[in-house]
């Protein structure tokens, strides 16, 4: 999002081409390659041309995207293919190309489907800190419910549909009462999204068995080499890697929002 998408924090550091085109697909999924942004935009906004001839459509891009989201939730994004999604409808992969040009466009539709419930921040009206907290909590819940979305929205700018724009609009609305310039409000949004994505990634990567093994091996290494890493050894002895006793999202947001509050007070002073 500068045009800003759901993965704003990554989008400042990279751009990937928008995909598409039916040409030479031959029934194979292709995620990379040149595509027409206008075609993706039409799909996301329901503005694609409807066929005037042939049999009446039995599916829709939205139904196909919803089925793909279910598949990704269960098996991960790599498991999603046009053929697997088609099999769930009892049709061939080629039948889906009537509605969606390929996997790249399908992923765009999946993101839009995942974001269908735009957060209602009316309960926090006028309280910008409460509004940002509510937005961030909803965003983290969404990433945790759909871990594949972290990879699907990373390091790229995507064409945005109405749901994704709705999330962005809600975040900016929550920050308006700060009175900060729009560019600074957007920078705050980037910080919040970065925090949310980091916490979601930690959840997605966590493995209890590996965590216990890491603790054991690291402890053994530090016992042998404590003199080389005195600050780290002291921190671990004092419980640095133990339970924090605070919700990590609340802790991170407090640090960000305290800084924003200081910025707001400085401007007023």
């Amino acid at each position: 999002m500068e045009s800003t998408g759901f993965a704003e924090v990554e989008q400042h550091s990279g751009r990937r081409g928008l995909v598409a085109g039916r040409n030479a697909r031959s029934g194979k999924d292709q995620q990379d390659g040149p595509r027409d942004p206008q075609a993706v935009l039409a799909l996301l906004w329901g503005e694609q041309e409807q066929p005037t001839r042939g049999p009446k459509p039995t599916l829709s891009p939205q139904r196909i995207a919803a089925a793909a989201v279910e598949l990704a939730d269960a098996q991960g994004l790599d498991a999603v293919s046009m053929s697997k999604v088609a099999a769930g409808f009892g049709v061939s992969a080629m039948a889906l190309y009537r509605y969606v040009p390929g996997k790249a466009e399908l992923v765009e539709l999946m993101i839009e489907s995942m974001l269908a419930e735009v957060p209602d921040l009316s309960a926090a009206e006028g309280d910008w800190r409460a509004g940002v907290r509510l937005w961030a909590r909803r965003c983290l819940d969404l990433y945790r419910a759909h871990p594949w979305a972290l990879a699907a929205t990373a390091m790229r700018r995507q064409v945005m549909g109405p749901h994704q724009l709705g999330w962005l609009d809600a975040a900016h609305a929550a920050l308006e009462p700060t009175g900060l310039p729009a560019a600074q409000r957007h920078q705050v949004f980037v910080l919040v999204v970065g925090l949310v994505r980091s916490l979601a990634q930690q959840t997605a990567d966590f493995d209890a068995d590996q965590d216990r093994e890491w603790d054991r091996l690291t402890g053994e290494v530090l016992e042998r080499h404590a003199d080389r890493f005195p600050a780290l050894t002291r921190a671990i002895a004092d419980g640095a890697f133990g339970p924090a006793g605070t919700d990590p999202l609340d802790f991170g947001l407090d640090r960000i929002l305290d800084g924003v509050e200081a910025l707001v007070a400085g401007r007023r002073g």
Side-chain angles (χ1 to χ4, degrees):
M1 310 179 216
E2 222 152 300
S3 119
T4 332
F6 200 58
E8 165 69 14
V9 67
E10 276 82 6
Q11 291 169 5
H12 278 295
S13 58
R15 179 188 296 254
R16 182 186 299 174
L18 292 169
V19 185
R22 300 170 184 267
N23 51 324
R25 297 223 175 188
S26 305
K28 295 182 180 180
D29 297 332
Q30 295 184 9
Q31 183 147 7
D32 298 316
R35 60 179 168 174
D36 180 3
Q38 292 298 326
V40 179
L41 198 65
L43 277 171
L44 292 173
W45 289 83
E47 297 172 347
Q48 68 272 34
E49 292 183 10
Q50 299 300 320
T52 57
R53 297 182 179 181
K56 184 178 180 180
T58 57
L59 295 174
S60 70
Q62 291 70 32
R63 284 186 65 196
I64 293 168
V69 167
E70 288 187 14
L71 182 58
D73 287 347
Q75 301 180 33
L77 188 61
D78 288 344
V80 176
S81 67
M82 297 292 277
S83 56
K84 281 190 177 181
V85 175
F89 290 108
V91 300
S92 69
M94 290 304 295
L96 293 195
Y97 291 119
R98 183 181 183 190
Y99 306 92
V100 182
K103 182 174 177 179
E105 294 83 2
L106 178 58
V107 171
E108 302 283 3
L109 287 169
M110 290 168 63
I111 295 167
E112 182 68 6
S113 176
M114 178 195 74
L115 297 171
E117 293 186 16
V118 176
D120 178 5
L121 307 183
S122 57
E125 187 173 359
D127 184 343
W128 64 267
R129 289 185 69 125
V132 172
R133 284 183 179 280
L134 183 54
W135 189 95
R137 179 65 63 183
R138 287 287 310 279
C139 187
L140 181 58
D141 289 345
L142 200 65
Y143 273 127
R144 285 176 170 170
H146 308 284
W148 55 268
L150 287 163
T153 56
M155 296 300 291
R156 71 211 249 294
R157 293 180 185 274
Q158 68 264 26
V159 176
M160 291 185 289
H163 298 149
Q164 187 165 185
L165 283 173
W167 276 81
L168 179 56
D169 182 76
H172 275 268
L175 287 164
E176 277 186 339
T178 63
L180 293 173
Q184 290 186 345
R185 296 198 306 267
H186 192 69
Q187 288 177 317
V188 174
F189 165 74
V190 173
L191 288 173
V192 171
V193 171
L195 170 65
V196 168
R197 287 181 64 91
S198 176
L199 293 174
Q201 191 68 63
Q202 290 175 34
T203 299
D205 291 343
F206 181 75
D207 181 290
D209 291 336
Q210 289 184 358
D211 192 58
R212 284 190 292 269
E213 183 68 0
W214 183 90
D215 285 345
R216 184 183 68 80
L217 293 174
T218 303
E220 291 176 357
V221 167
L222 284 177
E223 282 183 10
R224 297 195 302 270
H225 303 284
D227 58 324
R228 295 178 58 188
F229 310 101
L232 179 58
T233 299
R234 289 192 298 271
I236 292 175
D238 290 340
F241 289 85
T246 56
D247 181 278
L249 180 62
D250 286 340
F251 181 84
L253 285 175
D254 280 342
R255 306 291 74 76
I256 293 172
L257 300 183
D258 285 351
V260 174
E261 200 159 272
L263 180 62
V264 172
R267 285 175 54 82
R268 291 172 179 168

